[in-house]
Amino acid sequence: MKNLITELDIINYHKKGGTILPVGENDVLTPSAIDRAKQLQIKIIKKEEADKIRVSNQELSKFPDKKRVSVGCDHTGLKVKNMISKILIDKGFDVVDVGTYDESSCDYPDFANSAAIKVYRNEVDFAVIIDATGIPSAITANKIKGIRAATCYNEFSARSAREHNNANVLVLGAKALGEETIISILDVWLNTAFGGGRHQKRLDKITSLENDNFK
């Protein structure tokens, strides 16, 4: 029995952060689906090819395959941190909460560093950090060698941060974003793979800068 893949299927796949679509022998794409995939830059490959890539190429590795995450925030991000922690736990992640644990005024560098340093030490696979705007914690985290912290403010920025920049720390602004937007950003972040290729070449240049300047 043939499985018809429509334009709407492609759009929904794109919304979830998909960039590479494996298709099987029984899958049939409509002409409009093919056109939409090209427009959204979704690469269509055979499932057999995807299986080979999955084994040998980390381009298709996504965060759901990695189950350790640190979360941290200052006092402005406490409620969002608790919400995100619950979502991640429900998805099966092992969450390491580095604080803060109440709404008493505190300093964002302390918690941004605590969350990001665990990524650097390979104690977790990635981190999520929250403050008021998402900017100062990203600045802090990016002082650590090997950290690529991205302040994301919509689905596009989350997808780009993962696909183009292989970001390993997601930073969010609790006072800059609504709850539903935050949930949507997190979902795209978790389900978007690093694109490799030309993007890796650019990341190699960043690594070179780090090696030159982080003594």
Side-chain angles (χ1 to χ4, degrees):
M1 185 176 180
K2 298 294 184 180
N3 175 42
L4 190 65
I5 299 175
T6 67
E7 180 182 12
L8 181 60
D9 294 324
I10 295 295
I11 292 171
N12 289 334
Y13 187 72
H14 176 71
K15 287 180 178 178
K16 293 178 180 178
T19 57
I20 301 175
L21 177 64
V23 296
E25 292 182 358
N26 294 323
D27 294 328
V28 177
L29 285 89
T30 65
S32 59
I34 295 173
D35 289 341
R36 181 66 68 175
K38 289 180 180 178
Q39 179 187 0
L40 298 176
Q41 296 184 332
I42 294 174
K43 184 177 181 181
I44 299 172
I45 62 175
K46 293 181 179 179
K47 283 185 177 178
E48 296 81 5
E49 182 183 349
D51 291 337
K52 293 178 182 178
I53 296 175
R54 214 172 264 118
V55 172
S56 62
N57 192 331
Q58 70 180 133
E59 282 188 20
L60 294 183
S61 70
K62 298 180 181 179
F63 280 134
D65 299 322
K66 300 180 177 182
K67 293 296 185 180
R68 301 172 300 165
V69 52
S70 57
V71 296
C73 68
D74 66 3
H75 53 287
T76 65
L78 180 65
K79 291 180 180 179
V80 171
K81 185 199 68 174
N82 292 341
M83 176 186 71
I84 287 175
S85 295
K86 183 179 185 306
I87 291 172
L88 290 168
I89 290 170
D90 289 345
K91 289 180 179 292
F93 286 87
D94 180 12
V95 175
V96 180
D97 188 338
V98 302
T100 190
Y101 305 110
D102 60 49
E103 292 184 324
S104 301
S105 181
C106 60
D107 298 328
Y108 62 82
D110 298 337
F111 303 99
N113 176 71
S114 295
I117 202 72
K118 289 186 175 297
V119 179
Y120 169 74
R121 293 172 178 168
N122 291 317
E123 296 174 13
V124 298
D125 298 300
F126 69 102
V128 182
I129 307 172
I130 309 98
D131 59 36
T133 66
I135 296 171
S137 290
I139 292 173
T140 303
N142 282 321
K143 299 301 181 185
I144 300 171
K145 188 174 182 179
I147 294 301
R148 295 179 296 277
T151 302
C152 296
Y153 41 86
N154 55 28
E155 292 181 0
F156 175 78
S157 58
R159 184 177 295 109
S160 181
R162 285 292 302 124
E163 182 182 348
H164 293 187
N165 314 127
N166 199 17
N168 51 17
V169 176
L170 169 62
V171 190
L172 298 164
K175 292 188 175 183
L177 302 169
E179 181 177 305
E180 293 303 318
T181 299
I182 288 172
I183 293 172
S184 179
I185 288 171
L186 179 65
D187 184 62
V188 170
W189 170 275
L190 293 174
N191 288 286
T192 302
F194 174 49
R198 69 185 189 279
H199 306 302
Q200 183 59 57
K201 179 185 71 173
R202 293 159 186 166
L203 290 183
D204 290 342
K205 290 188 176 184
I206 294 176
T207 299
S208 179
L209 289 170
E210 285 183 332
N211 291 335
D212 289 342
N213 294 290
F214 282 74
K215 303 299 184 182

